[in-house]
Amino acid sequence: MAGRLDGRVALVSGALRGIGRAIAQCLATDGATTIITDLDAEDSEAVASAIAAMPGCSYIRLDATMEEAWQAARDRVMAAHGRLDILVNNVGADLTGKVQDLELATWRRLMTLNMDTVFLGTKTFQPLLAQSGAATPYGSSIINISSIMGLVGMGEVSAYNASKGAVRLFSKSNALEFADAGVPIRVNSVHPGFVDTPLLRQGMERWAARDGTLSADDLIDQMAQTTPIKRLAQPIEIGKVVAFLASDDASYMTGSEVVVDGGWTAR
């Protein structure tokens, strides 16, 4: 049976673990030739594990905060495939803490990881995506991974809120820029709620250590209980939404923000 992404080439940043890995898996399952990128060395155990789990995928080591690294990745994609149809900007980190306690260097590092990486990926691959999109029925696709924290505020999460809100509006602006200019690239953002990943658990461990009253498990349980469907998401549930947006099934969607949060922001 043909996959809905057969013949297309996808690149997912930050894709060795968590949501990124699930996204790459879903794109590959739907038939895309999928390139996963991350910071691990190309001969690392994590890369070998990912490639074994996703036959047909390849890996490029990419420091997504560096423009020259993106340019090198683009050159490798062009040499190996001659096209790119799907770009998923997934690199990101979290940061919690009272605003008066945040260091400027820490704030700037979060913005680099959560926003600069989206800008650099989009800027670097836009020409190749536009070229491939012209030969695709409904154009190429950029999907930027934001968060429900890019939609609503939360105390002691101001830096993360700001960075993910920036991803949301950057996506909308690019969608309009490309559509108005007749550039065949659709741009959408995905806003996960609380997803059961190592990154979330590490963040809750840091919060628990700072707070001193609740354990990380207690905090995670609170997240689940405040979500209307009473559980955290699994990464694959985000990956399936991204694969839909990458496909022609989402042909009339650009500038959209797709919320995948178990009803959390519906309250």
Side-chain angles (χ1 to χ4, degrees), residues 64-66 70 108-122 167:
T65 68
M66 303 296 293
W70 277 105
R108 286 178 171 166
R109 178 61 177 168
L110 188 76
M111 298 304 157
T112 296
L113 288 167
N114 287 3
M115 188 62 239
D116 290 2
T117 57
V118 177
F119 161 70
L120 289 172
T122 300
V167 171

Side-chain angles (χ1 to χ4, degrees), residues 16-135:
L16 277 182
R17 300 167 184 85
I19 292 173
R21 179 162 172 161
I23 290 169
Q25 179 183 336
C26 288
L27 294 174
T29 297
D30 271 352
T33 298
T34 304
I35 303 150
I36 57 180
T37 77
D38 218 308
L39 281 172
D40 297 52
E42 299 201 4
D43 60 354
S44 70
E45 183 178 332
V47 171
S49 172
I51 297 300
M54 293 179 273
C57 291
S58 59
Y59 178 78
I60 296 175
R61 185 185 183 278
L62 171 65
D63 181 345
T65 68
M66 303 296 293
E67 186 167 16
E68 59 268 29
W70 277 105
Q71 293 167 345
R74 175 201 59 204
D75 293 346
R76 287 183 62 177
V77 171
M78 190 64 188
H81 306 287
R83 65 185 295 135
L84 189 72
D85 303 274
I86 302 157
L87 172 65
V88 183
N89 288 307
N90 172 69
V91 168
D94 68 350
L95 177 64
T96 60
K98 294 180 173 64
V99 66
Q100 67 269 24
D101 296 332
L102 297 177
E103 298 289 340
L104 179 58
T106 306
W107 168 280
R108 286 178 171 166
R109 178 61 177 168
L110 188 76
M111 298 304 157
T112 296
L113 288 167
N114 287 3
M115 188 62 239
D116 290 2
T117 57
V118 177
F119 161 70
L120 289 172
T122 300
K123 176 186 176 182
T124 304
F125 276 104
Q126 188 270 0
L128 189 55
L129 287 161
Q131 177 183 314
S132 300

Side-chain angles (χ1 to χ4, degrees), residues 147-149 151-152 191-193 226 228 259-267:
S147 166
I148 55 171
M149 295 303 153
L151 300 172
V152 297
H191 298 258
T226 58
V259 181
V260 193
D261 70 349
W264 197 85
T265 57
R267 291 197 185 280

